Amino acid sequence: MKHHNNIIFRPAMTLEELQHALAIRAACYMGELGFDADFTFDGNDFQATHFLCYADGKPVGTMRARWFSDFVKLDRTSFLKAYRGPRILKMGAEVIFEHMRLKGYTKVITHTNPKFTRVWKQVLGFELVEKSSLQMEGHQYAYDELIKILDPHP
């Protein structure tokens, strides 16, 4: 758990916290971006770890981690507008990366809208996987694939 002033990051541990994560994602993906529910939510939500950001006790952000045999996929990152920025993103990533390291993972991948690739690279230390992108049906652009290698946990 990461504390900084009024900001706390932690994994969702209860049904209520999972609902907080899904509500934030709905507000961002469906409310702001206009994605439909079939894209916003999927069966992976029941097989993932959802990390939450709380500000003054209210849910304001979420990131989802999906666990594979030799890597973790970080996706569905969503923060309410007032809580978007490199400082909060970096705080959340530090908590999530440490959680991954404690589980024995050292490789993290994500797919991002090209307009956010620079943020993931500069703020979180991801590298662009050259000549690798993901085109999703109904989306106007291909998502960039990024990778980050974490130091093993001692």
Side-chain angles (χ1 to χ4, degrees):
M1 189 177 333
K2 179 83 170 181
H3 295 271
H4 184 79
N5 296 336
N6 64 340
I7 304 291
I8 297 171
F9 282 89
R10 67 171 181 254
M13 303 293 275
T14 66
L15 177 58
E16 181 180 23
E17 290 174 341
L18 175 60
Q19 290 170 327
H20 291 169
L22 300 178
I24 294 296
R25 193 181 325 151
C28 296
Y29 277 65
M30 296 170 69
E32 287 182 38
L33 300 174
F35 290 129
D36 58 10
D38 289 342
F39 175 79
T40 303
F41 307 107
D42 59 27
N44 294 316
D45 286 319
F46 298 109
Q47 304 168 1
T49 302
H50 299 267
F51 292 88
L52 287 157
C53 174
Y54 287 95
D56 294 322
K58 296 178 180 156
V60 298
T62 184
M63 296 175 164
R64 180 175 81 175
R66 294 191 292 141
W67 310 93
F68 295 87
S69 63
D70 64 343
F71 69 93
V72 181
K73 177 142 192 240
L74 189 59
D75 60 10
R76 300 302 201 266
T77 301
S78 312
F79 286 85
L80 298 179
K81 280 185 183 182
Y83 296 91
R84 292 181 190 155
R87 182 181 69 89
I88 290 178
L89 182 62
K90 189 170 179 80
M91 285 173 53
E94 288 171 3
V95 170
I96 294 166
F97 294 157
E98 182 63 11
H99 189 87
M100 293 171 178
R101 291 175 65 235
L102 285 168
K103 286 179 156 288
Y105 287 88
T106 57
K107 187 189 315 181
V108 185
I109 66 164
T110 192
H111 290 92
T112 183
N113 178 325
K115 73 180 183 178
F116 298 120
T117 296
R118 186 170 166 234
V119 172
W120 285 82
K121 288 172 64 178
Q122 289 183 343
V123 175
L124 302 180
F126 278 81
E127 297 291 328
L128 180 65
V129 177
E130 295 298 327
K131 299 181 181 173
S132 180
S133 62
L134 176 66
Q135 181 68 49
M136 288 188 253
E137 186 178 332
H139 291 247
Q140 56 189 327
Y141 50 82
Y143 287 75
D144 289 334
E145 183 173 339
L146 304 173
I147 187 168
K148 180 175 178 74
I149 303 300
L150 304 173
D151 291 329
H153 194 276

